[in-house]
Amino acid sequence: MAKSLLAGNWKMHGTAESAAQLASDIADGLTLEAPETIVFPPLVHLPLVIAALADRPAIAVGAQNVSQYPEGAYTGEVSAQMLANLGCRYVLVGHSERRTLFGETDQLVAEKFAALQGAGLIPILCVGETLDQRQQGLTLEVVKRQIDAVVARVGLEHVCQSVVAYEPVWAIGTGETATPEQAQEVHAYIRGQLTERGQSTRLLYGGSVNADNAAALFAQPDIEGGLVGGASLQAQQFLKIAQQMVEQG
Ligand code: PEP
């Protein structure tokens, strides 16, 4: 599979100035062969990052979260249409921090996915098991359940038009990465689940990816790209990861 997509999740980090600077440093450093690149700044920094990248079509901008509702009395929420109007193209759904820290269920993730589709945005559906689930041998079952909830809500073809990121919860922000073999096993399983039913989609790996481990992960046949958290906050690290993807073809 071509290594085609690199996404940087900035989480709740940075100031207005640092966000604009990071966006332009990444844009300046990307080579012509670089994979499609997306940055996910904090919500309030979206307009300034979109403005900073206005003449840089090589980088898309996405949001880290969305409301499941189209509009209404939902204090503090932001709708899919509002994100689309700002100029976002992608939105993360089902990130493990949303699932574990904010109680998002498979059903809520599916509703958010549907809301994005309605607004013409591309969801990046994050799935993955906790350490406990892995140790109990439940990894594939958990990932299947998380994907099936979305398939049941929107239909297989719409999941296949999106991006799926396998992010083992125990590897996110911990410095501990799945081995390339562990990641490949789950990616092959997800691809099998989706192709078995007649479709295929873009599959990313996420979980403490950095410039040192990226090459081995991207060498795996079913890993088409990465969703990077911590290492996306330093332009040079992120650009090195992009370069590793180019080298893995
Ligand atoms: C993430 O936030 O999706 C992520 C993978 O974070 P990190 O790279 O820091 O583990």
Side-chain angles (χ1 to χ4, degrees):
M1 294 288 162
K3 311 301 166 190
S4 58
L5 189 55
L6 178 62
N9 175 13
W10 297 357
K11 309 194 189 197
M12 198 174 75
H13 290 294
T15 62
E17 293 74 22
S18 72
Q21 188 65 50
L22 180 56
S24 57
D25 287 349
I26 293 170
D28 287 344
L30 283 176
T31 60
L32 281 179
E33 310 81 53
E36 184 180 352
T37 303
I38 315 164
V39 292
F40 292 87
L43 181 71
V44 291
H45 297 155
L46 280 170
L48 66 94
V49 169
I50 288 169
L53 297 175
D55 57 350
R56 318 287 192 112
I59 307 193
V61 179
Q64 300 174 18
N65 190 23
V66 66
S67 171
Q68 70 271 38
Y69 300 115
E71 66 173 337
Y74 301 109
T75 302
E77 293 291 287
V78 173
S79 74
Q81 193 56 57
M82 291 170 183
L83 295 174
N85 291 347
L86 270 184
C88 289
R89 284 233 300 278
Y90 293 87
V91 180
L92 301 177
V93 283
H95 190 282
S96 75
E97 288 154 15
R98 304 273 346 146
R99 291 181 191 262
T100 57
L101 302 175
F102 300 97
E104 295 198 2
T105 61
D106 291 344
Q107 284 62 41
L108 178 57
V109 171
E111 290 304 324
K112 290 187 173 198
F113 190 109
L116 293 174
Q117 263 191 289
L121 290 162
I122 303 171
I124 298 190
L125 171 63
C126 304
V127 299
E129 81 289 2
T130 62
L131 185 57
D132 196 41
Q133 289 165 335
R134 174 163 282 270
Q135 285 168 344
Q136 289 182 57
L138 297 174
T139 298
L140 302 183
E141 199 178 303
V142 168
V143 163
K144 181 173 184 337
R145 191 200 69 220
Q146 291 171 335
I147 293 175
D148 281 353
V150 182
V151 170
R153 174 66 180 80
V154 301
L156 177 63
E157 61 284 11
H158 292 299
V159 175
C160 293
Q161 285 157 13
S162 75
V163 180
V164 176
Y166 168 56
E167 298 207 300
V169 178
W170 47 273
I172 297 180
T174 59
E176 193 171 338
T177 320
T179 64
E181 295 73 25
Q182 285 173 324
Q184 167 59 26
E185 183 200 5
V186 181
H187 278 240
Y189 175 76
I190 295 172
R191 189 171 304 289
Q193 287 294 304
L194 299 176
T195 50
E196 216 172 72
R197 301 181 233 175
Q199 304 279 345
S200 71
T201 189
R202 286 189 288 176
L203 301 182
L204 311 183
Y205 170 78
S208 298
V209 175
N210 59 40
D212 296 327
N213 59 30
L217 287 161
F218 296 137
Q220 299 302 310
D222 288 297
I223 299 180
E224 292 168 272
L227 175 52
V228 182
S232 71
L233 293 170
Q234 294 159 19
Q236 287 316 313
Q237 275 270 336
F238 193 60
L239 291 166
K240 277 188 197 157
I241 295 169
Q243 189 52 33
Q244 305 282 358
M245 287 181 66
V246 171
E247 285 164 21
Q248 293 303 323

